[in-house]
Amino acid sequence: MKKIISMALAVLLLGGLATLFASCGSSYDGEINVYNWAEYFADGSGGTVDVVAKFEEKYNIKVNLTTYETNEGLYNMLKSSNSNYDVVFPSDYMVEKLKNEKLLTKLDLAKIPNQKKIIDRFTNMDYDNGNNYSIPYSWNVTGLVYNKTMVKGKPESWNSLWDKSLSGSILMFNNSRDAYAIAMQMCGINPAAFTKADVDKATVKLKEQKPLLKKYAMDQTFTEMENNQSAIAPYYAGDIYTMMTNNEDLVGVLPEEGSNLFVDSMCIPKSAQNIDGAYKFINFMTEPENSAANMDYITYASPVDGAKQLIDKDVADSELVYPPDSYLDKCYTFRDVDEDVYSYMQEQFVKLMS
Amino acid sequence: MRLKRPTIPYIIWMAVFTVIPIVLILLYSFTDRSGNFSFEPFIKAVGYTNVFLNSLWIAFISTVICLALSYPLAYFMSRLKRSTQNLITMLIMIPMWMNFLLRIYAWVTLLQNNGPIDTMLSLLGIHTQLIGNQGAVIVGMVYEYLPFMVLPLYTVMSKIDYQLIEASGDLGANMFVTMRKVVVPLSVPGIISGVTMVFVPSASTFLVAQYLGGTKDIMIGDVIDKIFWSDQNTGSAIALILMVAILFFLIILNFFGDEEAIAT
């Protein structure tokens, strides 16, 4: 008897869940599949605006959001699976790669009137001049963060990541492109475009650094720095701003030699099903008000004219989130690199770690 | 053996989720980027031999520690009152309800500098670096996979008839001899499935070393993860080698017990 009752309860529970799922989405006019970085839309938490819900309400289109971790993950998904995403968010070099491999739809800018509000610098990027395939969503630069109680002096250059006196408490990017970019800058190579020989030179530089490192880290940089576990680390400047609000001893620096200006953009893959919905979505996210809401949440900079004035003043005033134009002129943006060279770099990076 | 109709769904399941993926891995590992037949992925895979051996070593140590910790625990558990047994089983299971990554994060917090363990040791005058080394990785692995060792051992041991142990005592065997001659031989199936369930996943695990280890501690799972970003062929080749190594390990294990005990 007990068994029958518990079975019945289990069935009821599952049935309840099923109806709960089924009851959503019945009254929408359509749906779009959005594939974005994790935590990349303001989601309504902590007093922010739930931008996606706002879109759903305005256009009565359901948004199915899935997330990815790396540009390469996105690429593999678009290249080798039968996915049907309507809007994706690749970074600069990945836009160019996807464009070159004919995986993106050429945009009809008339359907994205807000594109005119994109700041000139970001419509004229080399990877997609004129925004024919991508509409910039966010941008930022890489920078340095250090703990002033653990570092003597004021680091101003990437050089500090090779500082022997900090041995054992230095972190380094755990992704090949960002790690190699810093090493290449140190070797006087342009990280935007490089050859295998350049990779080899940078590898030597990184090998020199390895014994000084505490670890290669990505997300862990947050906890490592905020909990005073490491002295210095490279990271994305907007995230450094967030770390600084959580630990007063942390200082963010824009390295004097310049750094990587990265742009994440919205694109429509060739395989998209609901292209109209995708255009509406992209246009909606390019509205200054909505861009500001998202940027408030992720603390990266908005490429939309007029958005900066709408975001939190402390964020807008931070040089880390909005570096001055004079600094941006010193920065480089990644370009698509030959497949062969790119996988060579990745291979060397894994070898370096093993 | 003749196929019966009810087995068809399982055959489809196996085909879609086991056979086809393995065939794809095979295909990828014997081709180059442009899809031509090539041994290049394997030649590249050989470059990671040291990581490979290191992973097997870490998995081996973790398995041994898990076995050493679990065996007495499982034995004493099986001798307790039924209700207490259920309670302890529950306590062992509860951490597994939490996400694997969160549990690793918890260990990062526990072991970090000025963390609870470090602070306590400092009070006792011991100053060491607890995190960022192979020891921390092994601690994480043992914690992660301990239930997979305890539960099969406990299941087997609770089936051992207590009268056999009593009989052994009546015939003059002391505790140690009883263990060696009666309990251990009867629990071999549990040991084998426990060892399999700990060794196999820990040899191929990833992220644990990234979170708890330092720059030197990288495991083959991490290498596969990283290399897949740009080179699925070499990634597949490494995965294939790992699969063959594990298969080899299972075959050796097979010699020690009857076939049914092996959980694959």
Side-chain angles (χ1 to χ4, degrees):
Chain A
M1 191 57 203
K2 208 171 146 194
K3 255 189 189 163
I4 297 174
I5 292 176
S6 51
M7 277 291 272
L9 279 175
V11 168
L12 269 176
L13 194 67
L14 284 176
L17 276 177
T19 44
L20 201 69
F21 283 124
S23 65
C24 305
S26 50
S27 61
Y28 287 105
D29 292 342
E31 52 181 19
I32 53 170
N33 298 320
V34 176
Y35 200 35
N36 195 358
W37 301 86
E39 301 275 308
Y40 227 46
F41 289 123
D43 62 358
S45 66
T48 56
V49 184
D50 189 337
V51 183
V52 173
K54 198 174 149 195
F55 171 82
E56 288 181 326
E57 208 170 295
K58 183 166 179 189
Y59 292 98
N60 204 25
I61 294 173
K62 182 169 165 49
V63 176
N64 302 318
L65 179 65
T66 31
T67 61
Y68 56 89
E69 301 286 324
T70 61
N71 276 305
E72 286 67 26
L74 166 68
Y75 172 80
N76 288 335
M77 195 58 105
L78 291 182
K79 179 89 178 171
S80 47
S81 84
N82 279 325
S83 57
N84 52 348
Y85 294 109
D86 299 304
V87 183
V88 296
F89 288 68
S91 307
D92 31 60
Y93 73 97
M94 191 48 73
V95 171
E96 188 173 17
K97 185 178 171 76
L98 293 170
K99 179 181 83 176
N100 290 344
E101 297 190 20
K102 310 222 175 321
L103 292 165
L104 296 181
T105 308
K106 187 158 198 267
L107 299 176
D108 179 358
L109 292 181
K111 290 187 176 160
I112 311 171
N114 284 333
Q115 186 272 335
K116 292 195 195 72
K117 296 181 188 160
I118 300 284
I119 296 164
D120 279 351
R121 182 186 290 274
F122 300 103
T123 51
N124 298 327
M125 300 297 282
D126 291 334
Y127 64 83
D128 178 27
N129 202 330
N131 291 148
N132 285 315
Y133 292 88
S134 66
I135 303 293
Y137 174 77
S138 63
W139 64 273
N140 202 220
V141 297
T142 49
L144 272 175
V145 55
Y146 67 91
N147 189 316
K148 66 185 175 203
T149 62
M150 298 164 93
V151 177
K152 290 190 198 81
K154 290 196 167 100
E156 281 174 343
S157 147
W158 292 127
N159 247 325
S160 308
L161 296 170
W162 274 260
D163 185 344
K164 289 201 173 65
S165 70
L166 297 172
S167 177
S169 45
I170 305 173
L171 301 179
M172 186 62 175
F173 277 120
N174 189 3
N175 97 41
S176 60
R177 188 102 206 218
D178 287 323
Y180 270 89
I182 294 173
M184 284 177 186
Q185 274 189 286
M186 305 285 296
C187 301
I189 299 159
N190 176 10
F194 48 85
T195 63
K196 279 190 183 176
D198 295 334
V199 172
D200 287 338
K201 278 185 215 152
T203 306
V204 173
K205 193 76 191 160
L206 289 172
K207 273 195 182 138
E208 212 179 279
Q209 184 196 32
K210 192 184 172 188
L212 306 175
L213 290 180
K214 181 169 182 201
K215 60 171 25 184
Y216 293 100
M218 292 305 295
D219 291 354
Q220 267 188 294
T221 309
F222 283 95
T223 44
E224 284 285 324
M225 295 308 297
E226 288 175 4
N227 299 336
N228 305 320
Q229 299 294 308
S230 299
I232 189 165
Y235 215 61
Y236 309 114
D239 294 320
I240 291 176
Y241 176 85
T242 310
M243 293 176 207
M244 287 165 64
T245 57
N246 293 329
N247 182 344
E248 287 179 352
D249 290 331
L250 298 181
V251 184
V253 191
L254 299 174
E256 58 189 7
E257 50 275 79
S259 63
N260 170 25
L261 164 63
F262 59 90
V263 184
D264 291 332
S265 298
M266 294 175 279
C267 303
I268 305 179
K270 272 270 163 66
S271 55
Q273 303 282 313
N274 186 352
I275 293 187
D276 270 342
Y279 276 123
K280 282 182 186 141
F281 188 81
I282 293 175
N283 194 51
F284 181 83
M285 290 299 166
T286 315
E287 199 73 58
E289 191 191 346
N290 299 326
S291 180
N294 283 326
M295 296 310 124
D296 244 345
Y297 180 76
I298 65 175
T299 63
Y300 285 172
S302 169
V304 182
D305 194 24
K308 188 178 170 182
Q309 289 73 21
L310 298 172
I311 66 167
D312 189 278
K313 198 165 176 320
D314 289 342
V315 180
D317 286 346
S318 165
E319 285 211 339
L320 290 166
V321 183
Y322 281 97
D325 272 330
S326 57
Y327 188 76
L328 295 183
D329 292 337
K330 283 197 282 190
C331 291
Y332 54 88
T333 299
F334 289 151
R335 298 292 303 274
D336 182 29
V337 189
D338 191 46
E339 181 78 47
D340 228 27
V341 178
Y342 192 81
S343 71
Y344 181 72
M345 175 177 76
Q346 181 68 17
E347 193 188 325
Q348 294 308 309
F349 189 61
V350 181
K351 286 244 167 76
L352 172 79
M353 294 204 292
S354 56
Chain B
M1 198 179 71
R2 283 204 18 238
L3 290 174
K4 297 196 183 85
R5 192 160 293 138
T7 59
I8 289 174
Y10 302 106
I11 292 172
I12 295 174
W13 178 275
M14 289 286 279
V16 172
F17 294 108
T18 309
V19 179
I20 296 176
I22 289 178
V23 170
L24 280 179
I25 288 179
L26 262 171
L27 226 84
Y28 267 116
S29 47
F30 284 103
T31 48
D32 60 17
R33 191 180 303 283
S34 42
N36 301 317
F37 178 80
S38 158
F39 285 113
E40 197 190 309
F42 284 96
I43 294 164
K44 280 188 179 166
V46 171
Y48 303 101
T49 311
N50 56 340
V51 188
F52 193 79
L53 295 177
N54 188 41
S55 303
L56 292 182
W57 174 246
I58 289 180
F60 175 73
I61 298 283
S62 310
T63 312
V64 169
I65 295 176
C66 277
L67 184 61
L69 290 176
S70 310
Y71 201 84
L73 174 65
Y75 180 73
F76 291 122
M77 254 172 87
S78 68
R79 299 285 151 249
L80 293 170
K81 250 193 339 197
R82 191 77 220 174
S83 56
T84 323
Q85 287 186 23
N86 290 339
L87 179 74
I88 296 179
T89 315
M90 210 42 188
L91 289 176
I92 291 171
M93 298 278 286
I94 285 174
M96 291 167 71
W97 299 352
M98 258 173 284
N99 182 287
F100 148 87
L101 207 57
L102 290 180
R103 281 178 282 154
I104 293 301
Y105 261 123
W107 272 106
V108 172
T109 316
L110 283 175
L111 295 175
Q112 71 186 3
N113 299 339
N114 303 319
I117 298 176
D118 187 40
T119 314
M120 268 195 287
L121 287 178
S122 305
L123 289 176
L124 299 171
I126 305 166
H127 297 279
T128 51
Q129 175 77 18
L130 294 166
I131 200 166
N133 49 45
Q134 193 168 316
V137 177
I138 291 174
V139 167
M141 297 278 246
V142 168
Y143 178 76
E144 204 61 58
Y145 294 111
L146 195 66
F148 295 98
M149 185 65 93
V150 177
L151 296 177
L153 281 175
Y154 160 71
T155 311
V156 168
M157 292 215 197
S158 56
K159 279 189 205 139
I160 297 177
D161 191 343
Y162 194 64
Q163 287 177 336
L164 291 175
I165 295 168
E166 281 176 342
S168 161
D170 289 345
L171 293 171
N174 58 21
M175 176 81 178
F176 178 73
V177 175
T178 306
M179 265 304 196
R180 196 161 57 91
K181 295 267 186 189
V182 181
V183 181
V184 173
L186 285 173
S187 61
V188 163
I191 297 176
I192 290 178
S193 57
V195 167
T196 313
M197 284 167 78
V198 173
F199 184 81
V200 173
S202 55
S204 59
T205 196
F206 77 124
L207 286 178
V208 178
Q210 279 182 36
Y211 280 92
L212 294 170
T215 46
K216 283 190 226 84
D217 306 293
I218 182 172
M219 293 188 64
I220 200 73
D222 300 302
V223 168
I224 296 174
D225 170 45
K226 283 238 148 31
I227 215 85
F228 250 92
W229 280 23
S230 60
D231 184 354
Q232 282 94 333
N233 305 95
T234 308
S236 302
I238 301 172
L240 192 68
I241 295 174
L242 187 62
M243 274 162 64
V244 170
I246 287 172
L247 185 70
F248 192 67
F249 166 78
L250 290 178
I251 290 171
I252 292 177
L253 213 54
N254 215 347
F255 287 123
F256 291 98
D258 60 307
E259 228 168 89
E260 280 161 33
I262 296 177
T264 39

